Amino acid sequence: MDYKTKKQEILNRLERLYDGVSYLGNQNLMSRLSDFKEEINEDLQFNVLCIGEFSAGKSTLINRFFIKKDILPAAATETTAKLTFVKYGENEKAVVHYLDGRKRVIENIDEKTIKDFLSKDGKDVDSIDYVEIFINSHILKEGIAIVDSPGLNAPESERVGLTYDFVPRADAVLYVVSALQPWKATEKDFIENKIFRKSDLDKIFFLINFWDAIDEEEKKDILEYVESEMEKSLKVVSKEFGYDIPKPHIIPVSAKTGYNFDELDRLLTDYLSSKKAVDILNQKEAKLEHIKRDVIRYIERQIQNYKVDRSSLEKELDNIKKQLSELEKWKEEYRKNLEPEVDKKLEAFVETLISHCINYVDVIKKKIEDIKVDNVEKFEASVRKLVTKETDRLDEDVKKAYEDFYTSIENLIKEERLRLNLEGYYIRKEFDTKALKKTILDILYEQVEELKEEAPKDQGFVSRIFFHLVNRRRVLSTIQKGKDNLIKEIENSISNTINAFKDKKGKILDIILNNIELEMEQIYRAKEINLESILNSQSVKDKEIERLSKIMEHIKGI
């Protein structure tokens, strides 16, 4: 089953499950399913960056291929001064995000309206951070978000930097080249000097635009010329990486006529789905089954409650009310029982992070000292590639450590629910991974606020710490001084991070325990409401059992 079909099948099953749950009238369950649908769409959204010189026709390509209407301003001169995110939305609008945190929503958008904000001479352009445009487009609805960027030949280096900095964060890159001036110095410089990861090169599609303007007898020569020049640049990169680099896709297209759009759609979809979609879809399918089982257990518990005699239900309800009346005492005992286990797991997590950070410093120090070059520019390029590569490795190590930590906490919570006989009543969404992760990372960054300000807000957290090391030009008096300075900065950054881990461990522990206590209290209150509801409807229990049984059979068949 291909990616699109499988994704739609999961969404269809989710919709059917939501319909079934709606008959239960349980808002918590419905909220959990709505959150899951949002999670699927978010995790399966692909950022496709469109780059090239401002005369290459990239904005026109986005208008014609992705949007199917002229929204983005397109001209032979520079028109896009800020990163522009084009996403799916039923109601078409633009949201302008300013550097000071303000937002402005613009309805009834057209090319002229957007140009007023995006062009280098537009309204308040220097105070704008980025722009989001929401369009009702079939391609965008499938989970693709387009990122239009300033031209690579823009005179302001800061705007060009916005484009280059987004490359590592993009899932795919469409590099638009003009067939009228193929393979200029910009393309050569991009491959040879602006790519620092093999994975970044793997995701680039070179689109030769204006193919309709080329005579038939010249097309073969242009393709051969582009391929030849690209191979020369790839040899330079392969030598630096130490292994051969496969040639990226080269696709002739015409934004004007739509030539080869079907082929571009096929290649882009195949690449994105093979890149990460299949694994994510399998995870979402497994989670859907997990939620489905939770719903079935909930219904089974409801049916069982209706079958229990009234005196037993009243006794259980009295017990719940007693526990709620002694809530503070119960919380204190609960914390006393759970805190040592949570603390032990948190301590192991922090020690793992510290170990990864120390190892990172040791590897960087050794490899920086091993760099043998004879000029500052080569040294800077070598260091940038080294730090990028090692930071990627550290980022993955830290993500793995966090996921292991989160899983251990979630398992602990499940054990506690079972011990308290609350598993069947746990009908809210899972322990909030994103909120916990954000909380922890925000605490860690309290000690490194300056670095946080310099980095893009949505970079990975290790990348944020080291962003200034790999994205700032330095004038070094000597290469050795440069090595010493870089090593010192890295050691200081790591030291600050380790101190933040240690200093804030207690606060993180409190956050986790408070989160757990709050959810447990809500479960008890949900159980109280549920029992009261059942007691109030005992007279119609047989009909209710029949109704719930039908809903359960429907859900089992999903």
mmCIF file with all atom_site columns, all heavy atoms in Angstrom, residues 105-128:
data_model
loop_
_atom_site.group_PDB
_atom_site.id
_atom_site.type_symbol
_atom_site.label_atom_id
_atom_site.label_alt_id
_atom_site.label_comp_id
_atom_site.label_asym_id
_atom_site.label_entity_id
_atom_site.label_seq_id
_atom_site.pdbx_PDB_ins_code
_atom_site.Cartn_x
_atom_site.Cartn_y
_atom_site.Cartn_z
_atom_site.occupancy
_atom_site.B_iso_or_equiv
_atom_site.pdbx_formal_charge
_atom_site.auth_seq_id
_atom_site.auth_comp_id
_atom_site.auth_asym_id
_atom_site.auth_atom_id
_atom_site.pdbx_PDB_model_num
ATOM 1   N N   . VAL A 1 105 ? -3.485  39.225 10.842 1.00 0.00 ? 105 VAL A N   1
ATOM 2   C CA  . VAL A 1 105 ? -4.215  38.314 9.960  1.00 0.00 ? 105 VAL A CA  1
ATOM 3   C C   . VAL A 1 105 ? -4.833  39.118 8.828  1.00 0.00 ? 105 VAL A C   1
ATOM 4   O O   . VAL A 1 105 ? -5.493  40.144 9.065  1.00 0.00 ? 105 VAL A O   1
ATOM 5   C CB  . VAL A 1 105 ? -5.303  37.554 10.738 1.00 0.00 ? 105 VAL A CB  1
ATOM 6   C CG1 . VAL A 1 105 ? -6.082  36.636 9.796  1.00 0.00 ? 105 VAL A CG1 1
ATOM 7   C CG2 . VAL A 1 105 ? -4.691  36.760 11.879 1.00 0.00 ? 105 VAL A CG2 1
ATOM 8   N N   . ILE A 1 106 ? -4.611  38.655 7.593  1.00 0.00 ? 106 ILE A N   1
ATOM 9   C CA  . ILE A 1 106 ? -5.127  39.354 6.407  1.00 0.00 ? 106 ILE A CA  1
ATOM 10  C C   . ILE A 1 106 ? -6.061  38.416 5.644  1.00 0.00 ? 106 ILE A C   1
ATOM 11  O O   . ILE A 1 106 ? -5.633  37.346 5.183  1.00 0.00 ? 106 ILE A O   1
ATOM 12  C CB  . ILE A 1 106 ? -3.984  39.807 5.485  1.00 0.00 ? 106 ILE A CB  1
ATOM 13  C CG1 . ILE A 1 106 ? -2.966  40.648 6.264  1.00 0.00 ? 106 ILE A CG1 1
ATOM 14  C CG2 . ILE A 1 106 ? -4.511  40.589 4.292  1.00 0.00 ? 106 ILE A CG2 1
ATOM 15  C CD1 . ILE A 1 106 ? -1.685  40.882 5.521  1.00 0.00 ? 106 ILE A CD1 1
ATOM 16  N N   . GLU A 1 107 ? -7.316  38.785 5.534  1.00 0.00 ? 107 GLU A N   1
ATOM 17  C CA  . GLU A 1 107 ? -8.291  37.999 4.773  1.00 0.00 ? 107 GLU A CA  1
ATOM 18  C C   . GLU A 1 107 ? -8.314  38.500 3.322  1.00 0.00 ? 107 GLU A C   1
ATOM 19  O O   . GLU A 1 107 ? -7.742  39.529 2.987  1.00 0.00 ? 107 GLU A O   1
ATOM 20  C CB  . GLU A 1 107 ? -9.685  38.155 5.403  1.00 0.00 ? 107 GLU A CB  1
ATOM 21  C CG  . GLU A 1 107 ? -9.721  37.894 6.903  1.00 0.00 ? 107 GLU A CG  1
ATOM 22  C CD  . GLU A 1 107 ? -9.626  36.420 7.258  1.00 0.00 ? 107 GLU A CD  1
ATOM 23  O OE1 . GLU A 1 107 ? -9.637  35.580 6.328  1.00 0.00 ? 107 GLU A OE1 1
ATOM 24  O OE2 . GLU A 1 107 ? -9.539  36.118 8.468  1.00 0.00 ? 107 GLU A OE2 1
ATOM 25  N N   . ASN A 1 108 ? -8.971  37.726 2.463  1.00 0.00 ? 108 ASN A N   1
ATOM 26  C CA  . ASN A 1 108 ? -9.138  38.120 1.052  1.00 0.00 ? 108 ASN A CA  1
ATOM 27  C C   . ASN A 1 108 ? -7.800  38.475 0.402  1.00 0.00 ? 108 ASN A C   1
ATOM 28  O O   . ASN A 1 108 ? -7.591  39.571 -0.106 1.00 0.00 ? 108 ASN A O   1
ATOM 29  C CB  . ASN A 1 108 ? -10.097 39.316 0.952  1.00 0.00 ? 108 ASN A CB  1
ATOM 30  C CG  . ASN A 1 108 ? -11.450 39.021 1.560  1.00 0.00 ? 108 ASN A CG  1
ATOM 31  O OD1 . ASN A 1 108 ? -12.005 37.936 1.363  1.00 0.00 ? 108 ASN A OD1 1
ATOM 32  N ND2 . ASN A 1 108 ? -11.975 39.976 2.319  1.00 0.00 ? 108 ASN A ND2 1
ATOM 33  N N   . ILE A 1 109 ? -6.883  37.525 0.441  1.00 0.00 ? 109 ILE A N   1
ATOM 34  C CA  . ILE A 1 109 ? -5.533  37.783 -0.067 1.00 0.00 ? 109 ILE A CA  1
ATOM 35  C C   . ILE A 1 109 ? -5.470  37.665 -1.585 1.00 0.00 ? 109 ILE A C   1
ATOM 36  O O   . ILE A 1 109 ? -6.223  36.917 -2.205 1.00 0.00 ? 109 ILE A O   1
ATOM 37  C CB  . ILE A 1 109 ? -4.515  36.811 0.559  1.00 0.00 ? 109 ILE A CB  1
ATOM 38  C CG1 . ILE A 1 109 ? -4.948  35.349 0.338  1.00 0.00 ? 109 ILE A CG1 1
ATOM 39  C CG2 . ILE A 1 109 ? -4.347  37.095 2.040  1.00 0.00 ? 109 ILE A CG2 1
ATOM 40  C CD1 . ILE A 1 109 ? -3.942  34.334 0.825  1.00 0.00 ? 109 ILE A CD1 1
ATOM 41  N N   . ASP A 1 110 ? -4.575  38.431 -2.190 1.00 0.00 ? 110 ASP A N   1
ATOM 42  C CA  . ASP A 1 110 ? -4.261  38.320 -3.602 1.00 0.00 ? 110 ASP A CA  1
ATOM 43  C C   . ASP A 1 110 ? -2.794  38.685 -3.778 1.00 0.00 ? 110 ASP A C   1
ATOM 44  O O   . ASP A 1 110 ? -2.081  38.998 -2.820 1.00 0.00 ? 110 ASP A O   1
ATOM 45  C CB  . ASP A 1 110 ? -5.162  39.215 -4.465 1.00 0.00 ? 110 ASP A CB  1
ATOM 46  C CG  . ASP A 1 110 ? -5.107  40.682 -4.026 1.00 0.00 ? 110 ASP A CG  1
ATOM 47  O OD1 . ASP A 1 110 ? -4.073  41.103 -3.462 1.00 0.00 ? 110 ASP A OD1 1
ATOM 48  O OD2 . ASP A 1 110 ? -6.095  41.407 -4.253 1.00 0.00 ? 110 ASP A OD2 1
ATOM 49  N N   . GLU A 1 111 ? -2.319  38.635 -5.022 1.00 0.00 ? 111 GLU A N   1
ATOM 50  C CA  . GLU A 1 111 ? -0.899  38.861 -5.282 1.00 0.00 ? 111 GLU A CA  1
ATOM 51  C C   . GLU A 1 111 ? -0.451  40.249 -4.820 1.00 0.00 ? 111 GLU A C   1
ATOM 52  O O   . GLU A 1 111 ? 0.630   40.401 -4.235 1.00 0.00 ? 111 GLU A O   1
ATOM 53  C CB  . GLU A 1 111 ? -0.613  38.689 -6.781 1.00 0.00 ? 111 GLU A CB  1
ATOM 54  C CG  . GLU A 1 111 ? 0.878   38.765 -7.122 1.00 0.00 ? 111 GLU A CG  1
ATOM 55  C CD  . GLU A 1 111 ? 1.140   38.447 -8.581 1.00 0.00 ? 111 GLU A CD  1
ATOM 56  O OE1 . GLU A 1 111 ? 0.206   37.985 -9.272 1.00 0.00 ? 111 GLU A OE1 1
ATOM 57  O OE2 . GLU A 1 111 ? 2.269   38.664 -9.034 1.00 0.00 ? 111 GLU A OE2 1
ATOM 58  N N   . LYS A 1 112 ? -1.273  41.254 -5.049 1.00 0.00 ? 112 LYS A N   1
ATOM 59  C CA  . LYS A 1 112 ? -0.900  42.610 -4.661 1.00 0.00 ? 112 LYS A CA  1
ATOM 60  C C   . LYS A 1 112 ? -0.791  42.749 -3.137 1.00 0.00 ? 112 LYS A C   1
ATOM 61  O O   . LYS A 1 112 ? 0.157   43.360 -2.606 1.00 0.00 ? 112 LYS A O   1
ATOM 62  C CB  . LYS A 1 112 ? -1.918  43.618 -5.194 1.00 0.00 ? 112 LYS A CB  1
ATOM 63  C CG  . LYS A 1 112 ? -1.572  45.074 -4.858 1.00 0.00 ? 112 LYS A CG  1
ATOM 64  C CD  . LYS A 1 112 ? -2.629  46.034 -5.387 1.00 0.00 ? 112 LYS A CD  1
ATOM 65  C CE  . LYS A 1 112 ? -2.254  47.474 -5.076 1.00 0.00 ? 112 LYS A CE  1
ATOM 66  N NZ  . LYS A 1 112 ? -2.032  47.714 -3.632 1.00 0.00 ? 112 LYS A NZ  1
ATOM 67  N N   . THR A 1 113 ? -1.750  42.153 -2.419 1.00 0.00 ? 113 THR A N   1
ATOM 68  C CA  . THR A 1 113 ? -1.730  42.215 -0.951 1.00 0.00 ? 113 THR A CA  1
ATOM 69  C C   . THR A 1 113 ? -0.464  41.584 -0.397 1.00 0.00 ? 113 THR A C   1
ATOM 70  O O   . THR A 1 113 ? 0.200   42.144 0.477  1.00 0.00 ? 113 THR A O   1
ATOM 71  C CB  . THR A 1 113 ? -2.956  41.488 -0.368 1.00 0.00 ? 113 THR A CB  1
ATOM 72  O OG1 . THR A 1 113 ? -4.136  42.014 -0.949 1.00 0.00 ? 113 THR A OG1 1
ATOM 73  C CG2 . THR A 1 113 ? -3.014  41.656 1.135  1.00 0.00 ? 113 THR A CG2 1
ATOM 74  N N   . ILE A 1 114 ? -0.128  40.400 -0.922 1.00 0.00 ? 114 ILE A N   1
ATOM 75  C CA  . ILE A 1 114 ? 1.056   39.697 -0.431 1.00 0.00 ? 114 ILE A CA  1
ATOM 76  C C   . ILE A 1 114 ? 2.324   40.470 -0.773 1.00 0.00 ? 114 ILE A C   1
ATOM 77  O O   . ILE A 1 114 ? 3.260   40.568 0.032  1.00 0.00 ? 114 ILE A O   1
ATOM 78  C CB  . ILE A 1 114 ? 1.123   38.272 -1.020 1.00 0.00 ? 114 ILE A CB  1
ATOM 79  C CG1 . ILE A 1 114 ? -0.115  37.469 -0.593 1.00 0.00 ? 114 ILE A CG1 1
ATOM 80  C CG2 . ILE A 1 114 ? 2.382   37.565 -0.577 1.00 0.00 ? 114 ILE A CG2 1
ATOM 81  C CD1 . ILE A 1 114 ? -0.284  37.329 0.897  1.00 0.00 ? 114 ILE A CD1 1
ATOM 82  N N   . LYS A 1 115 ? 2.355   41.051 -1.967 1.00 0.00 ? 115 LYS A N   1
ATOM 83  C CA  . LYS A 1 115 ? 3.535   41.796 -2.386 1.00 0.00 ? 115 LYS A CA  1
ATOM 84  C C   . LYS A 1 115 ? 3.812   42.979 -1.461 1.00 0.00 ? 115 LYS A C   1
ATOM 85  O O   . LYS A 1 115 ? 4.963   43.339 -1.209 1.00 0.00 ? 115 LYS A O   1
ATOM 86  C CB  . LYS A 1 115 ? 3.366   42.280 -3.826 1.00 0.00 ? 115 LYS A CB  1
ATOM 87  C CG  . LYS A 1 115 ? 4.627   42.923 -4.408 1.00 0.00 ? 115 LYS A CG  1
ATOM 88  C CD  . LYS A 1 115 ? 4.431   43.265 -5.877 1.00 0.00 ? 115 LYS A CD  1
ATOM 89  C CE  . LYS A 1 115 ? 5.718   43.857 -6.466 1.00 0.00 ? 115 LYS A CE  1
ATOM 90  N NZ  . LYS A 1 115 ? 5.561   44.167 -7.900 1.00 0.00 ? 115 LYS A NZ  1
ATOM 91  N N   . ASP A 1 116 ? 2.755   43.582 -0.938 1.00 0.00 ? 116 ASP A N   1
ATOM 92  C CA  . ASP A 1 116 ? 2.921   44.721 -0.031 1.00 0.00 ? 116 ASP A CA  1
ATOM 93  C C   . ASP A 1 116 ? 3.751   44.350 1.191  1.00 0.00 ? 116 ASP A C   1
ATOM 94  O O   . ASP A 1 116 ? 4.394   45.201 1.799  1.00 0.00 ? 116 ASP A O   1
ATOM 95  C CB  . ASP A 1 116 ? 1.554   45.249 0.420  1.00 0.00 ? 116 ASP A CB  1
ATOM 96  C CG  . ASP A 1 116 ? 0.844   46.007 -0.694 1.00 0.00 ? 116 ASP A CG  1
ATOM 97  O OD1 . ASP A 1 116 ? 1.521   46.396 -1.659 1.00 0.00 ? 116 ASP A OD1 1
ATOM 98  O OD2 . ASP A 1 116 ? -0.389  46.193 -0.593 1.00 0.00 ? 116 ASP A OD2 1
ATOM 99  N N   . PHE A 1 117 ? 3.724   43.066 1.559  1.00 0.00 ? 117 PHE A N   1
ATOM 100 C CA  . PHE A 1 117 ? 4.450   42.654 2.757  1.00 0.00 ? 117 PHE A CA  1
ATOM 101 C C   . PHE A 1 117 ? 5.755   41.924 2.427  1.00 0.00 ? 117 PHE A C   1
ATOM 102 O O   . PHE A 1 117 ? 6.722   42.030 3.173  1.00 0.00 ? 117 PHE A O   1
ATOM 103 C CB  . PHE A 1 117 ? 3.565   41.731 3.618  1.00 0.00 ? 117 PHE A CB  1
ATOM 104 C CG  . PHE A 1 117 ? 2.439   42.463 4.266  1.00 0.00 ? 117 PHE A CG  1
ATOM 105 C CD1 . PHE A 1 117 ? 1.203   42.535 3.649  1.00 0.00 ? 117 PHE A CD1 1
ATOM 106 C CD2 . PHE A 1 117 ? 2.611   43.104 5.475  1.00 0.00 ? 117 PHE A CD2 1
ATOM 107 C CE1 . PHE A 1 117 ? 0.151   43.221 4.234  1.00 0.00 ? 117 PHE A CE1 1
ATOM 108 C CE2 . PHE A 1 117 ? 1.566   43.796 6.070  1.00 0.00 ? 117 PHE A CE2 1
ATOM 109 C CZ  . PHE A 1 117 ? 0.333   43.857 5.448  1.00 0.00 ? 117 PHE A CZ  1
ATOM 110 N N   . LEU A 1 118 ? 5.782   41.187 1.325  1.00 0.00 ? 118 LEU A N   1
ATOM 111 C CA  . LEU A 1 118 ? 6.920   40.322 1.046  1.00 0.00 ? 118 LEU A CA  1
ATOM 112 C C   . LEU A 1 118 ? 8.058   40.990 0.286  1.00 0.00 ? 118 LEU A C   1
ATOM 113 O O   . LEU A 1 118 ? 9.206   40.587 0.414  1.00 0.00 ? 118 LEU A O   1
ATOM 114 C CB  . LEU A 1 118 ? 6.465   39.083 0.263  1.00 0.00 ? 118 LEU A CB  1
ATOM 115 C CG  . LEU A 1 118 ? 5.687   38.040 1.056  1.00 0.00 ? 118 LEU A CG  1
ATOM 116 C CD1 . LEU A 1 118 ? 5.372   36.859 0.162  1.00 0.00 ? 118 LEU A CD1 1
ATOM 117 C CD2 . LEU A 1 118 ? 6.490   37.579 2.264  1.00 0.00 ? 118 LEU A CD2 1
ATOM 118 N N   . SER A 1 119 ? 7.760   41.972 -0.531 1.00 0.00 ? 119 SER A N   1
ATOM 119 C CA  . SER A 1 119 ? 8.815   42.552 -1.359 1.00 0.00 ? 119 SER A CA  1
ATOM 120 C C   . SER A 1 119 ? 9.778   43.366 -0.503 1.00 0.00 ? 119 SER A C   1
ATOM 121 O O   . SER A 1 119 ? 9.446   43.810 0.599  1.00 0.00 ? 119 SER A O   1
ATOM 122 C CB  . SER A 1 119 ? 8.208   43.440 -2.450 1.00 0.00 ? 119 SER A CB  1
ATOM 123 O OG  . SER A 1 119 ? 7.672   44.610 -1.887 1.00 0.00 ? 119 SER A OG  1
ATOM 124 N N   . LYS A 1 120 ? 10.980  43.576 -1.012 1.00 0.00 ? 120 LYS A N   1
ATOM 125 C CA  . LYS A 1 120 ? 12.004  44.294 -0.239 1.00 0.00 ? 120 LYS A CA  1
ATOM 126 C C   . LYS A 1 120 ? 11.587  45.738 0.041  1.00 0.00 ? 120 LYS A C   1
ATOM 127 O O   . LYS A 1 120 ? 12.083  46.365 0.972  1.00 0.00 ? 120 LYS A O   1
ATOM 128 C CB  . LYS A 1 120 ? 13.336  44.267 -0.976 1.00 0.00 ? 120 LYS A CB  1
ATOM 129 C CG  . LYS A 1 120 ? 13.337  45.006 -2.317 1.00 0.00 ? 120 LYS A CG  1
ATOM 130 C CD  . LYS A 1 120 ? 14.719  44.997 -2.941 1.00 0.00 ? 120 LYS A CD  1
ATOM 131 C CE  . LYS A 1 120 ? 14.745  45.768 -4.262 1.00 0.00 ? 120 LYS A CE  1
ATOM 132 N NZ  . LYS A 1 120 ? 16.089  45.834 -4.830 1.00 0.00 ? 120 LYS A NZ  1
ATOM 133 N N   . ASP A 1 121 ? 10.653  46.274 -0.760 1.00 0.00 ? 121 ASP A N   1
ATOM 134 C CA  . ASP A 1 121 ? 10.170  47.647 -0.541 1.00 0.00 ? 121 ASP A CA  1
ATOM 135 C C   . ASP A 1 121 ? 8.780   47.655 0.099  1.00 0.00 ? 121 ASP A C   1
ATOM 136 O O   . ASP A 1 121 ? 8.090   48.671 0.107  1.00 0.00 ? 121 ASP A O   1
ATOM 137 C CB  . ASP A 1 121 ? 10.104  48.396 -1.879 1.00 0.00 ? 121 ASP A CB  1
ATOM 138 C CG  . ASP A 1 121 ? 11.478  48.483 -2.549 1.00 0.00 ? 121 ASP A CG  1
ATOM 139 O OD1 . ASP A 1 121 ? 12.462  48.726 -1.830 1.00 0.00 ? 121 ASP A OD1 1
ATOM 140 O OD2 . ASP A 1 121 ? 11.536  48.285 -3.774 1.00 0.00 ? 121 ASP A OD2 1
ATOM 141 N N   . GLY A 1 122 ? 8.369   46.499 0.632  1.00 0.00 ? 122 GLY A N   1
ATOM 142 C CA  . GLY A 1 122 ? 7.027   46.376 1.179  1.00 0.00 ? 122 GLY A CA  1
ATOM 143 C C   . GLY A 1 122 ? 6.856   47.065 2.520  1.00 0.00 ? 122 GLY A C   1
ATOM 144 O O   . GLY A 1 122 ? 7.802   47.591 3.114  1.00 0.00 ? 122 GLY A O   1
ATOM 145 N N   . LYS A 1 123 ? 5.607   47.014 3.016  1.00 0.00 ? 123 LYS A N   1
ATOM 146 C CA  . LYS A 1 123 ? 5.279   47.678 4.272  1.00 0.00 ? 123 LYS A CA  1
ATOM 147 C C   . LYS A 1 123 ? 6.012   47.028 5.441  1.00 0.00 ? 123 LYS A C   1
ATOM 148 O O   . LYS A 1 123 ? 5.893   45.825 5.660  1.00 0.00 ? 123 LYS A O   1
ATOM 149 C CB  . LYS A 1 123 ? 3.768   47.589 4.525  1.00 0.00 ? 123 LYS A CB  1
ATOM 150 C CG  . LYS A 1 123 ? 2.905   48.270 3.475  1.00 0.00 ? 123 LYS A CG  1
ATOM 151 C CD  . LYS A 1 123 ? 1.439   48.027 3.776  1.00 0.00 ? 123 LYS A CD  1
ATOM 152 C CE  . LYS A 1 123 ? 0.542   48.667 2.714  1.00 0.00 ? 123 LYS A CE  1
ATOM 153 N NZ  . LYS A 1 123 ? -0.887  48.378 2.954  1.00 0.00 ? 123 LYS A NZ  1
ATOM 154 N N   . ASP A 1 124 ? 6.746   47.807 6.190  1.00 0.00 ? 124 ASP A N   1
ATOM 155 C CA  . ASP A 1 124 ? 7.386   47.345 7.429  1.00 0.00 ? 124 ASP A CA  1
ATOM 156 C C   . ASP A 1 124 ? 8.200   46.070 7.221  1.00 0.00 ? 124 ASP A C   1
ATOM 157 O O   . ASP A 1 124 ? 8.272   45.215 8.118  1.00 0.00 ? 124 ASP A O   1
ATOM 158 C CB  . ASP A 1 124 ? 6.334   47.080 8.520  1.00 0.00 ? 124 ASP A CB  1
ATOM 159 C CG  . ASP A 1 124 ? 5.479   48.301 8.794  1.00 0.00 ? 124 ASP A CG  1
ATOM 160 O OD1 . ASP A 1 124 ? 6.024   49.414 8.763  1.00 0.00 ? 124 ASP A OD1 1
ATOM 161 O OD2 . ASP A 1 124 ? 4.270   48.132 9.020  1.00 0.00 ? 124 ASP A OD2 1
ATOM 162 N N   . VAL A 1 125 ? 8.811   45.907 6.052  1.00 0.00 ? 125 VAL A N   1
ATOM 163 C CA  . VAL A 1 125 ? 9.476   44.641 5.756  1.00 0.00 ? 125 VAL A CA  1
ATOM 164 C C   . VAL A 1 125 ? 10.572  44.327 6.761  1.00 0.00 ? 125 VAL A C   1
ATOM 165 O O   . VAL A 1 125 ? 10.807  43.167 7.117  1.00 0.00 ? 125 VAL A O   1
ATOM 166 C CB  . VAL A 1 125 ? 10.026  44.647 4.306  1.00 0.00 ? 125 VAL A CB  1
ATOM 167 C CG1 . VAL A 1 125 ? 11.170  45.658 4.155  1.00 0.00 ? 125 VAL A CG1 1
ATOM 168 C CG2 . VAL A 1 125 ? 10.507  43.251 3.918  1.00 0.00 ? 125 VAL A CG2 1
ATOM 169 N N   . ASP A 1 126 ? 11.257  45.354 7.263  1.00 0.00 ? 126 ASP A N   1
ATOM 170 C CA  . ASP A 1 126 ? 12.364  45.111 8.187  1.00 0.00 ? 126 ASP A CA  1
ATOM 171 C C   . ASP A 1 126 ? 11.884  44.673 9.570  1.00 0.00 ? 126 ASP A C   1
ATOM 172 O O   . ASP A 1 126 ? 12.678  44.174 10.367 1.00 0.00 ? 126 ASP A O   1
ATOM 173 C CB  . ASP A 1 126 ? 13.240  46.370 8.322  1.00 0.00 ? 126 ASP A CB  1
ATOM 174 C CG  . ASP A 1 126 ? 14.005  46.671 7.037  1.00 0.00 ? 126 ASP A CG  1
ATOM 175 O OD1 . ASP A 1 126 ? 14.301  45.706 6.309  1.00 0.00 ? 126 ASP A OD1 1
ATOM 176 O OD2 . ASP A 1 126 ? 14.294  47.853 6.778  1.00 0.00 ? 126 ASP A OD2 1
ATOM 177 N N   . SER A 1 127 ? 10.613  44.885 9.868  1.00 0.00 ? 127 SER A N   1
ATOM 178 C CA  . SER A 1 127 ? 10.084  44.485 11.179 1.00 0.00 ? 127 SER A CA  1
ATOM 179 C C   . SER A 1 127 ? 9.364   43.133 11.119 1.00 0.00 ? 127 SER A C   1
ATOM 180 O O   . SER A 1 127 ? 8.881   42.644 12.135 1.00 0.00 ? 127 SER A O   1
ATOM 181 C CB  . SER A 1 127 ? 9.114   45.543 11.709 1.00 0.00 ? 127 SER A CB  1
ATOM 182 O OG  . SER A 1 127 ? 7.985   45.652 10.861 1.00 0.00 ? 127 SER A OG  1
ATOM 183 N N   . ILE A 1 128 ? 9.313   42.519 9.930  1.00 0.00 ? 128 ILE A N   1
ATOM 184 C CA  . ILE A 1 128 ? 8.634   41.226 9.755  1.00 0.00 ? 128 ILE A CA  1
ATOM 185 C C   . ILE A 1 128 ? 9.613   40.079 9.957  1.00 0.00 ? 128 ILE A C   1
ATOM 186 O O   . ILE A 1 128 ? 10.741  40.113 9.464  1.00 0.00 ? 128 ILE A O   1
ATOM 187 C CB  . ILE A 1 128 ? 7.991   41.137 8.354  1.00 0.00 ? 128 ILE A CB  1
ATOM 188 C CG1 . ILE A 1 128 ? 6.848   42.153 8.240  1.00 0.00 ? 128 ILE A CG1 1
ATOM 189 C CG2 . ILE A 1 128 ? 7.458   39.733 8.088  1.00 0.00 ? 128 ILE A CG2 1
ATOM 190 C CD1 . ILE A 1 128 ? 6.256   42.237 6.847  1.00 0.00 ? 128 ILE A CD1 1
#
